[in-house]
Protein backbone atom coordinates (compact mmCIF):
# COMPACT_ATOMS: atom_id res chain seq x y z
CA UNK A 1 0.00 0.00 0.00
CA UNK A 2 1.32 3.43 -0.95
CA UNK A 3 1.83 5.65 2.10
CA UNK A 4 1.34 8.77 -0.02
CA UNK A 5 -2.37 7.87 -0.54
CA UNK A 6 -3.08 7.69 3.22
CA UNK A 7 -4.49 10.60 5.21
CA UNK A 8 -1.79 12.63 6.97
CA UNK A 9 -2.73 11.54 10.56
CA UNK A 10 -2.47 7.86 9.61
CA UNK A 11 0.71 8.31 7.57
CA UNK A 12 2.44 9.96 10.54
CA UNK A 13 1.80 6.85 12.66
CA UNK A 14 3.67 4.57 10.26
CA UNK A 15 7.48 4.67 10.71
CA UNK A 16 9.44 5.56 7.62
CA UNK A 17 11.99 2.84 8.40
CA UNK A 18 11.32 -0.34 10.36
CA UNK A 19 13.85 -0.96 13.14
CA UNK A 20 16.27 -3.81 12.71
CA UNK A 21 15.35 -6.56 15.16
CA UNK A 22 19.01 -7.45 15.52
CA UNK A 23 19.62 -4.07 17.20
CA UNK A 24 17.43 -5.11 20.14
CA UNK A 25 18.60 -8.76 20.38
CA UNK A 26 22.32 -8.81 21.10
CA UNK A 27 22.45 -12.62 21.07
CA UNK A 28 21.72 -12.62 17.35
CA UNK A 29 25.17 -11.09 16.93
CA UNK A 30 27.26 -13.96 18.33
CA UNK A 31 30.72 -12.60 17.49
CA UNK A 32 32.77 -10.11 19.42
CA UNK A 33 32.93 -6.69 17.77
CA UNK A 34 36.59 -6.84 16.78
CA UNK A 35 36.16 -10.34 15.32
CA UNK A 36 32.98 -9.43 13.41
CA UNK A 37 34.78 -6.55 11.68
CA UNK A 38 37.54 -8.77 10.27
CA UNK A 39 35.69 -11.06 7.84
CA UNK A 40 32.51 -13.08 7.21
CA UNK A 41 30.38 -13.31 10.36
CA UNK A 42 29.47 -16.97 9.77
CA UNK A 43 33.03 -18.27 9.51
CA UNK A 44 34.13 -18.09 13.21
CA UNK A 45 30.80 -19.49 14.38
CA UNK A 46 30.98 -22.29 11.83
CA UNK A 47 34.53 -23.06 12.97
CA UNK A 48 33.49 -23.38 16.62
CA UNK A 49 30.38 -25.45 15.91
CA UNK A 50 32.27 -27.65 13.45
CA UNK A 51 34.98 -28.30 16.03
CA UNK A 52 32.36 -29.23 18.64
CA UNK A 53 30.74 -31.61 16.15
CA UNK A 54 34.11 -33.21 15.36
CA UNK A 55 34.89 -33.76 19.05
CA UNK A 56 31.40 -35.20 19.62
CA UNK A 57 31.88 -37.61 16.72
CA UNK A 58 35.24 -38.84 18.08
CA UNK A 59 33.69 -39.10 21.56
CA UNK A 60 30.96 -41.26 20.06
CA UNK A 61 33.44 -43.66 18.44
CA UNK A 62 35.74 -44.16 21.45
CA UNK A 63 34.37 -46.53 24.08
CA UNK A 64 37.43 -47.23 26.18
CA UNK A 65 37.82 -43.83 27.82
CA UNK A 66 36.03 -40.54 28.32
CA UNK A 67 36.95 -37.76 25.86
CA UNK A 68 35.06 -35.04 27.68
CA UNK A 69 38.28 -33.06 28.15
CA UNK A 70 38.57 -32.61 24.37
CA UNK A 71 35.70 -30.13 24.47
CA UNK A 72 38.11 -27.66 26.09
CA UNK A 73 39.58 -26.92 22.65
CA UNK A 74 36.38 -25.75 20.88
CA UNK A 75 35.26 -23.93 24.05
CA UNK A 76 38.60 -22.11 24.19
CA UNK A 77 38.28 -21.10 20.54
CA UNK A 78 34.71 -19.98 21.21
CA UNK A 79 35.86 -17.89 24.18
CA UNK A 80 38.27 -16.10 21.84
CA UNK A 81 35.89 -15.52 18.93
CA UNK A 82 32.38 -15.35 20.41
CA UNK A 83 30.53 -13.04 22.77
CA UNK A 84 30.64 -13.87 26.45
CA UNK A 85 27.01 -15.04 26.59
CA UNK A 86 27.40 -17.33 23.57
CA UNK A 87 30.71 -18.75 24.81
CA UNK A 88 29.22 -19.71 28.19
CA UNK A 89 26.07 -21.15 26.59
CA UNK A 90 28.18 -23.65 24.66
CA UNK A 91 29.37 -25.29 27.91
CA UNK A 92 26.08 -27.10 28.70
CA UNK A 93 25.75 -27.97 25.01
CA UNK A 94 29.08 -29.78 25.10
CA UNK A 95 28.18 -31.59 28.33
CA UNK A 96 24.82 -32.72 26.94
CA UNK A 97 26.46 -33.98 23.76
CA UNK A 98 28.88 -36.01 25.81
CA UNK A 99 26.09 -37.48 27.95
CA UNK A 100 23.68 -38.46 25.19
CA UNK A 101 26.05 -39.03 22.25
CA UNK A 102 28.76 -41.06 23.94
CA UNK A 103 27.85 -44.80 24.11
CA UNK A 104 29.83 -45.37 27.30
CA UNK A 105 27.84 -46.68 30.30
CA UNK A 106 28.63 -44.97 33.59
CA UNK A 107 27.11 -44.96 37.09
CA UNK A 108 24.57 -42.09 37.51
CA UNK A 109 26.34 -40.71 40.57
CA UNK A 110 29.68 -40.74 38.84
CA UNK A 111 28.11 -39.14 35.76
CA UNK A 112 26.71 -36.29 37.87
CA UNK A 113 30.12 -35.75 39.48
CA UNK A 114 31.77 -35.92 36.07
CA UNK A 115 29.34 -33.33 34.66
CA UNK A 116 29.78 -30.96 37.59
CA UNK A 117 33.55 -31.21 37.38
CA UNK A 118 33.41 -30.60 33.62
CA UNK A 119 31.09 -27.63 34.14
CA UNK A 120 33.50 -26.14 36.66
CA UNK A 121 36.60 -26.72 34.51
CA UNK A 122 35.00 -25.50 31.29
CA UNK A 123 33.63 -22.38 33.02
CA UNK A 124 37.06 -21.65 34.47
CA UNK A 125 38.76 -21.97 31.06
CA UNK A 126 36.20 -19.73 29.36
CA UNK A 127 36.39 -17.20 32.22
CA UNK A 128 40.20 -16.98 32.10
CA UNK A 129 40.25 -16.53 28.32
CA UNK A 130 37.42 -14.01 28.35
CA UNK A 131 39.06 -12.11 31.20
CA UNK A 132 42.34 -11.97 29.31
CA UNK A 133 40.58 -10.70 26.19
CA UNK A 134 38.72 -8.02 28.19
CA UNK A 135 41.98 -6.83 29.75
CA UNK A 136 43.64 -6.77 26.34
CA UNK A 137 40.76 -4.75 24.87
CA UNK A 138 40.87 -2.36 27.82
CA UNK A 139 44.62 -1.91 27.36
CA UNK A 140 44.14 -1.33 23.62
CA UNK A 141 41.48 1.33 24.32
CA UNK A 142 43.75 3.02 26.86
CA UNK A 143 46.68 3.05 24.43
CA UNK A 144 44.44 4.39 21.66
CA UNK A 145 43.13 7.12 23.95
CA UNK A 146 46.66 8.09 24.98
CA UNK A 147 47.68 8.11 21.32
CA UNK A 148 44.75 10.36 20.41
CA UNK A 149 45.59 12.70 23.29
CA UNK A 150 49.24 12.81 22.17
CA UNK A 151 48.22 13.58 18.58
CA UNK A 152 46.02 16.41 19.83
CA UNK A 153 48.91 17.78 21.87
CA UNK A 154 51.22 17.57 18.85
CA UNK A 155 48.63 19.34 16.69
CA UNK A 156 48.32 22.06 19.31
CA UNK A 157 52.11 22.37 19.49
CA UNK A 158 52.22 22.64 15.69
CA UNK A 159 49.66 25.45 15.79
CA UNK A 160 51.69 27.28 18.43
CA UNK A 161 54.85 26.74 16.40
CA UNK A 162 53.28 28.24 13.29
CA UNK A 163 52.59 31.39 15.30
CA UNK A 164 56.35 32.04 15.38
CA UNK A 165 56.60 31.94 11.59
CA UNK A 166 55.90 35.05 9.51
CA UNK A 167 52.30 35.37 8.36
CA UNK A 168 52.60 37.75 5.40
CA UNK A 169 55.31 39.06 3.14
CA UNK A 170 57.28 42.13 4.29
CA UNK A 171 56.70 45.38 2.42
CA UNK A 172 60.31 46.40 1.71
CA UNK A 173 60.68 48.24 -1.59
CA UNK A 174 63.19 46.56 -3.87
CA UNK A 175 62.99 43.11 -2.28
CA UNK A 176 60.85 40.11 -3.10
CA UNK A 177 60.81 37.54 -0.28
CA UNK A 178 59.25 34.07 -0.04
CA UNK A 179 59.69 31.46 2.69
CA UNK A 180 58.32 28.09 3.76
CA UNK A 181 58.88 25.47 6.44
CA UNK A 182 57.69 21.86 6.32
CA UNK A 183 58.38 19.71 9.39
CA UNK A 184 59.22 16.05 8.90
CA UNK A 185 56.89 15.28 11.82
CA UNK A 186 53.94 17.16 13.28
CA UNK A 187 56.31 19.70 14.77
CA UNK A 188 59.86 20.57 13.77
CA UNK A 189 63.05 22.29 14.79
CA UNK A 190 63.42 24.67 11.84
CA UNK A 191 62.66 28.38 12.04
CA UNK A 192 62.75 31.33 9.71
CA UNK A 193 61.66 34.92 10.02
CA UNK A 194 62.03 38.34 8.46
CA UNK A 195 61.95 41.31 10.77
CA UNK A 196 61.62 44.82 9.27
CA UNK A 197 64.03 47.33 10.81
CA UNK A 198 62.91 50.43 8.92
CA UNK A 199 61.44 51.36 5.54
CA UNK A 200 64.46 50.10 3.59
CA UNK A 201 66.14 47.60 5.94
CA UNK A 202 65.08 44.09 6.94
CA UNK A 203 66.63 41.36 9.02
CA UNK A 204 66.33 37.79 7.71
CA UNK A 205 66.76 34.82 10.07
CA UNK A 206 66.94 31.08 9.44
CA UNK A 207 67.75 28.51 12.13
CA UNK A 208 67.86 24.76 12.65
CA UNK A 209 67.73 23.07 16.05
CA UNK A 210 69.72 19.85 16.42
CA UNK A 211 67.31 16.92 16.46
CA UNK A 212 63.68 16.51 15.48
CA UNK A 213 60.29 16.24 17.12
CA UNK A 214 58.79 17.89 20.17
CA UNK A 215 62.05 18.62 22.02
CA UNK A 216 63.51 20.37 18.97
CA UNK A 217 60.27 22.31 18.48
CA UNK A 218 60.35 23.58 22.07
CA UNK A 219 63.92 24.86 21.67
CA UNK A 220 62.97 26.35 18.32
CA UNK A 221 60.12 28.27 19.97
CA UNK A 222 62.51 29.60 22.59
CA UNK A 223 64.96 30.62 19.85
CA UNK A 224 62.25 32.38 17.84
CA UNK A 225 60.99 34.32 20.87
CA UNK A 226 64.50 35.30 21.93
CA UNK A 227 65.43 36.33 18.38
CA UNK A 228 62.40 38.59 18.10
CA UNK A 229 63.22 40.15 21.45
CA UNK A 230 66.87 40.72 20.54
CA UNK A 231 65.99 42.20 17.14
CA UNK A 232 63.71 44.76 18.76
CA UNK A 233 66.24 45.57 21.46
CA UNK A 234 69.47 46.07 19.52
CA UNK A 235 70.46 46.41 15.84
CA UNK A 236 74.00 45.13 16.40
CA UNK A 237 73.91 41.55 15.06
CA UNK A 238 77.09 40.44 16.82
CA UNK A 239 75.67 41.50 20.19
CA UNK A 240 72.35 39.87 19.30
CA UNK A 241 74.08 36.56 18.61
CA UNK A 242 76.19 36.83 21.78
CA UNK A 243 73.15 37.37 24.02
CA UNK A 244 71.16 34.74 22.14
CA UNK A 245 73.94 32.23 22.75
CA UNK A 246 73.80 32.97 26.49
CA UNK A 247 69.99 32.68 26.62
CA UNK A 248 69.78 29.46 24.62
CA UNK A 249 72.68 27.91 26.52
CA UNK A 250 70.84 28.57 29.79
CA UNK A 251 67.71 26.63 28.75
CA UNK A 252 69.25 23.75 26.76
CA UNK A 253 71.60 20.86 27.48
CA UNK A 254 75.02 20.46 25.81
CA UNK A 255 73.56 18.07 23.21
CA UNK A 256 71.07 20.69 22.02
CA UNK A 257 72.32 23.55 19.91
CA UNK A 258 71.03 25.81 17.16
CA UNK A 259 72.61 26.64 13.82
CA UNK A 260 71.67 30.18 12.91
CA UNK A 261 72.15 32.59 10.03
CA UNK A 262 71.18 36.22 10.57
CA UNK A 263 71.35 38.65 7.65
CA UNK A 264 70.50 42.34 7.45
CA UNK A 265 69.66 43.70 3.99
CA UNK A 266 69.74 47.43 3.32
CA UNK A 267 68.00 48.24 0.03
CA UNK A 268 69.13 51.87 0.15
CA UNK A 269 72.84 51.02 0.40
CA UNK A 270 72.31 47.75 -1.51
CA UNK A 271 74.38 45.72 0.90
CA UNK A 272 73.90 42.66 3.08
CA UNK A 273 75.59 42.10 6.45
CA UNK A 274 75.35 38.61 7.89
CA UNK A 275 76.52 36.32 10.68
CA UNK A 276 76.54 32.56 10.06
CA UNK A 277 76.62 30.49 13.25
CA UNK A 278 77.35 26.98 11.99
CA UNK A 279 74.45 27.03 9.53
CA UNK A 280 74.40 25.78 5.96
CA UNK A 281 76.01 28.40 3.68
CA UNK A 282 73.38 30.55 1.99
CA UNK A 283 73.76 30.99 -1.77
CA UNK A 284 74.19 34.45 -3.30
CA UNK A 285 73.51 34.42 -7.05
CA UNK A 286 75.12 37.28 -8.96
CA UNK A 287 72.90 38.23 -11.88
CA UNK A 288 75.64 40.16 -13.68
CA UNK A 289 78.21 37.35 -13.71
CA UNK A 290 75.78 34.44 -13.21
CA UNK A 291 78.00 33.05 -10.49
CA UNK A 292 77.26 31.76 -7.00
CA UNK A 293 78.88 32.84 -3.74
CA UNK A 294 78.50 30.80 -0.57
CA UNK A 295 77.87 32.69 2.66
CA UNK A 296 79.93 30.35 4.85
CA UNK A 297 79.93 29.93 8.61
CA UNK A 298 82.12 32.22 10.71
CA UNK A 299 81.37 30.98 14.25
CA UNK A 300 80.08 27.88 16.11
CA UNK A 301 76.37 27.11 16.56
CA UNK A 302 74.31 28.84 19.23
CA UNK A 303 74.29 27.16 22.64
CA UNK A 304 77.29 24.93 21.93
CA UNK A 305 79.88 26.90 23.90
CA UNK A 306 79.62 29.61 26.58
CA UNK A 307 81.48 32.15 24.45
CA UNK A 308 80.44 33.06 20.91
CA UNK A 309 83.18 34.79 18.94
CA UNK A 310 81.80 35.70 15.52
CA UNK A 311 82.73 37.76 12.51
CA UNK A 312 80.42 40.05 10.59
CA UNK A 313 80.57 39.50 6.84
CA UNK A 314 79.21 41.75 4.09
CA UNK A 315 78.44 41.64 0.39
CA UNK A 316 77.22 44.21 -2.11
CA UNK A 317 73.97 43.56 -3.94
CA UNK A 318 72.78 44.44 -7.42
CA UNK A 319 69.49 44.29 -9.27
CA UNK A 320 68.59 40.72 -10.15
CA UNK A 321 70.72 39.13 -7.44
CA UNK A 322 69.12 36.32 -5.47
CA UNK A 323 69.73 35.01 -1.96
CA UNK A 324 68.74 31.42 -1.08
CA UNK A 325 68.68 30.37 2.57
CA UNK A 326 67.90 26.75 3.45
CA UNK A 327 68.30 24.07 6.11
CA UNK A 328 70.02 20.70 5.78
CA UNK A 329 66.66 19.01 5.22
CA UNK A 330 67.04 20.13 1.59
CA UNK A 331 70.64 19.16 0.87
CA UNK A 332 70.56 15.96 2.97
CA UNK A 333 67.38 14.59 1.37
CA UNK A 334 68.23 11.07 0.16
CA UNK A 335 66.90 8.90 -2.64
CA UNK A 336 66.45 5.13 -2.39
CA UNK A 337 70.14 4.61 -3.27
CA UNK A 338 71.28 6.72 -0.30
CA UNK A 339 72.49 9.60 -2.48
CA UNK A 340 72.01 13.09 -1.04
CA UNK A 341 70.40 15.93 -2.95
CA UNK A 342 73.50 17.96 -2.14
CA UNK A 343 74.51 21.57 -2.53
CA UNK A 344 75.66 21.05 -6.13
CA UNK A 345 72.14 20.15 -7.29
CA UNK A 346 70.79 23.06 -5.28
CA UNK A 347 73.30 25.45 -6.85
CA UNK A 348 72.35 24.25 -10.34
CA UNK A 349 68.67 24.87 -9.54
CA UNK A 350 69.39 28.41 -8.36
CA UNK A 351 71.35 29.25 -11.50
CA UNK A 352 68.74 27.69 -13.76
CA UNK A 353 65.85 29.42 -11.98
CA UNK A 354 67.40 32.86 -11.58
CA UNK A 355 64.74 34.37 -13.85
CA UNK A 356 61.93 33.09 -11.63
CA UNK A 357 60.27 35.06 -8.88
CA UNK A 358 61.31 34.46 -5.29
CA UNK A 359 58.25 32.30 -4.68
CA UNK A 360 58.71 30.49 -7.99
CA UNK A 361 62.31 29.57 -7.19
CA UNK A 362 61.34 28.49 -3.66
CA UNK A 363 58.65 26.16 -5.04
CA UNK A 364 61.02 24.84 -7.71
CA UNK A 365 63.66 23.97 -5.09
CA UNK A 366 61.16 22.23 -2.84
CA UNK A 367 59.53 20.26 -5.65
CA UNK A 368 62.91 19.16 -7.03
CA UNK A 369 64.09 17.96 -3.60
CA UNK A 370 60.73 16.24 -2.96
CA UNK A 371 60.90 14.46 -6.31
CA UNK A 372 64.50 13.41 -5.63
CA UNK A 373 63.54 11.69 -2.36
CA UNK A 374 59.99 10.74 -3.36
CA UNK A 375 60.50 7.02 -2.70
CA UNK A 376 61.74 7.49 0.88
CA UNK A 377 60.49 10.98 1.79
CA UNK A 378 62.20 13.76 3.69
CA UNK A 379 64.03 12.60 6.81
CA UNK A 380 64.38 16.08 8.29
CA UNK A 381 62.56 19.39 8.47
CA UNK A 382 62.73 21.43 5.27
CA UNK A 383 62.97 25.24 5.28
CA UNK A 384 63.63 27.44 2.26
CA UNK A 385 63.85 31.23 2.18
CA UNK A 386 64.46 33.13 -1.06
CA UNK A 387 65.16 36.86 -1.44
CA UNK A 388 65.27 38.48 -4.89
CA UNK A 389 66.66 41.97 -5.39
CA UNK A 390 64.42 44.04 -7.64
CA UNK A 391 66.23 47.35 -7.19
CA UNK A 392 65.15 50.30 -9.32
CA UNK A 393 67.03 53.50 -10.20
CA UNK A 394 70.68 54.26 -9.62
CA UNK A 395 72.75 52.21 -7.15
CA UNK A 396 72.68 53.31 -3.57
CA UNK A 397 75.59 54.25 -1.37
CA UNK A 398 77.71 51.26 -0.41
CA UNK A 399 79.37 50.91 2.95
Amino acid sequence: MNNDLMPPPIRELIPTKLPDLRDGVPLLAPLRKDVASIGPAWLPLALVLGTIAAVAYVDHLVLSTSLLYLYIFPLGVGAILLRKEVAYSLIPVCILLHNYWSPRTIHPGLRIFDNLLALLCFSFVVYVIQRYIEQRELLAKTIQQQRDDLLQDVQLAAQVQRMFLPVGKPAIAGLEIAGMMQPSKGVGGDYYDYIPIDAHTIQVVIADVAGKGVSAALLMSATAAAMRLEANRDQNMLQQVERLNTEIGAVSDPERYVTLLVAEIDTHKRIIHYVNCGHNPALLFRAETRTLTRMNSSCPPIGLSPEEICELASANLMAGDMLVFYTDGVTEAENRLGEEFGIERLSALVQRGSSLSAEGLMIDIFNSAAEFCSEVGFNDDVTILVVKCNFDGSPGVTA
Side-chain angles (χ1 to χ4, degrees):
M1 185 175 181
N2 193 344
N3 291 346
D4 296 336
L5 301 178
M6 296 181 182
I10 298 179
R11 189 166 61 243
E12 292 175 358
L13 297 177
I14 299 179
T16 57
K17 181 181 178 182
L18 293 176
D20 193 344
L21 295 178
R22 291 176 297 179
D23 296 339
V25 187
L27 291 180
L28 293 181
L31 303 182
R32 289 179 26 247
K33 292 182 180 179
D34 56 338
V35 177
S37 62
I38 296 177
W42 57 268
L43 186 59
L45 184 60
L47 174 64
V48 175
L49 296 179
T51 309
I52 292 177
V55 172
Y57 179 72
V58 174
D59 192 21
H60 175 71
L61 295 179
V62 177
L63 300 177
S64 59
T65 184
S66 174
L67 299 181
L68 182 59
Y69 64 89
L70 291 181
Y71 286 98
I72 291 180
F73 176 68
L75 289 175
V77 175
I80 296 174
L81 301 177
L82 305 178
R83 292 166 56 94
K84 181 189 299 184
E85 298 85 353
V86 180
Y88 279 110
S89 66
L90 292 178
I91 296 177
V93 172
C94 293
I95 295 176
L96 289 176
L97 284 174
H98 174 71
N99 287 335
Y100 295 102
W101 190 247
S102 177
R104 294 176 63 251
T105 303
I106 189 172
H107 189 274
L110 185 59
R111 182 179 294 276
I112 294 174
F113 175 76
D114 193 25
N115 290 340
L116 291 176
L117 183 61
L119 179 64
L120 180 62
C121 292
F122 291 164
S123 299
F124 177 75
V125 170
V126 173
Y127 170 79
V128 170
I129 295 177
Q130 288 278 337
R131 184 64 177 173
Y132 168 76
I133 293 176
E134 290 175 357
Q135 292 295 327
R136 188 187 65 178
E137 291 177 346
L138 180 61
L139 178 61
K141 290 181 180 179
T142 303
I143 294 175
Q144 183 63 36
Q145 183 62 43
Q146 292 177 346
R147 180 177 178 273
D148 293 341
D149 293 341
L150 179 60
L151 288 177
Q152 291 180 359
D153 292 341
V154 171
Q155 291 175 358
L156 179 60
Q159 293 177 2
V160 173
Q161 185 182 37
R162 284 193 291 269
M163 295 173 59
F164 289 98
L165 301 178
V167 178
K169 297 180 180 180
I172 301 293
L175 293 181
E176 183 184 345
I177 302 179
M180 60 155 291
M181 192 275 282
Q182 176 176 290
S184 61
K185 300 180 180 180
V187 291
D190 282 7
Y191 159 68
Y192 77 95
D193 202 353
Y194 19 80
I195 307 169
I197 304 301
D198 52 42
H200 55 84
T201 308
I202 189 170
Q203 192 173 91
V204 177
V205 184
I206 188 167
D208 185 4
V209 177
K212 295 182 286 292
V214 176
S215 59
L218 292 175
L219 186 55
M220 185 283 290
S221 301
T223 304
M227 192 63 216
R228 276 276 176 174
L229 182 63
E230 291 300 332
N232 294 327
R233 178 190 300 177
D234 191 356
Q235 305 304 320
N236 189 312
M237 283 190 292
L238 292 179
Q239 294 182 7
Q240 288 180 19
V241 169
E242 182 180 349
R243 285 196 297 267
L244 188 64
N245 180 65
T246 303
E247 295 166 359
I248 296 301
V251 298
S252 64
D253 54 66
E255 297 180 356
R256 296 290 179 183
Y257 58 87
V258 182
T259 64
L260 176 76
L261 197 160
V262 187
E264 187 175 287
I265 304 173
D266 190 329
T267 60
H268 179 66
K269 297 180 180 180
R270 299 188 181 183
I271 191 171
I272 178 173
H273 302 284
Y274 63 92
V275 178
N276 190 338
C277 304
H279 196 75
N280 301 86
L283 300 179
L284 171 57
F285 174 78
R286 301 287 189 178
E288 184 177 13
T289 60
R290 301 194 61 81
T291 58
L292 281 173
T293 302
R294 296 183 183 182
M295 300 165 60
N296 292 312
S297 171
S298 61
C299 58
I302 299 295
L304 194 61
S305 60
E307 296 182 359
E308 194 81 357
I309 302 175
C310 297
E311 295 180 3
L312 187 67
S314 303
N316 294 324
L317 300 175
M318 297 182 64
D321 290 353
M322 299 191 77
L323 293 156
V324 178
F325 305 86
Y326 59 94
T327 56
D328 54 12
V330 178
T331 53
E332 294 181 3
E334 296 182 354
N335 59 15
R336 62 182 181 85
L337 301 178
E339 299 174 339
E340 292 188 350
F341 187 74
I343 193 170
E344 298 301 330
R345 287 187 177 90
L346 177 60
S347 300
L349 278 175
V350 174
Q351 289 180 310
R352 187 175 68 241
S354 59
S355 60
L356 298 173
S357 65
E359 185 172 0
L361 180 57
M362 177 194 71
I363 295 174
D364 187 36
I365 294 173
F366 177 79
N367 290 340
S368 299
E371 183 179 358
F372 181 80
C373 65
S374 58
E375 296 185 9
V376 295
F378 289 108
N379 56 15
D380 200 356
D381 308 325
V382 174
T383 302
I384 305 170
L385 180 60
V386 178
V387 180
K388 186 169 186 177
C389 301
N390 293 328
F391 302 136
D392 294 326
S394 59
V397 181
T398 57

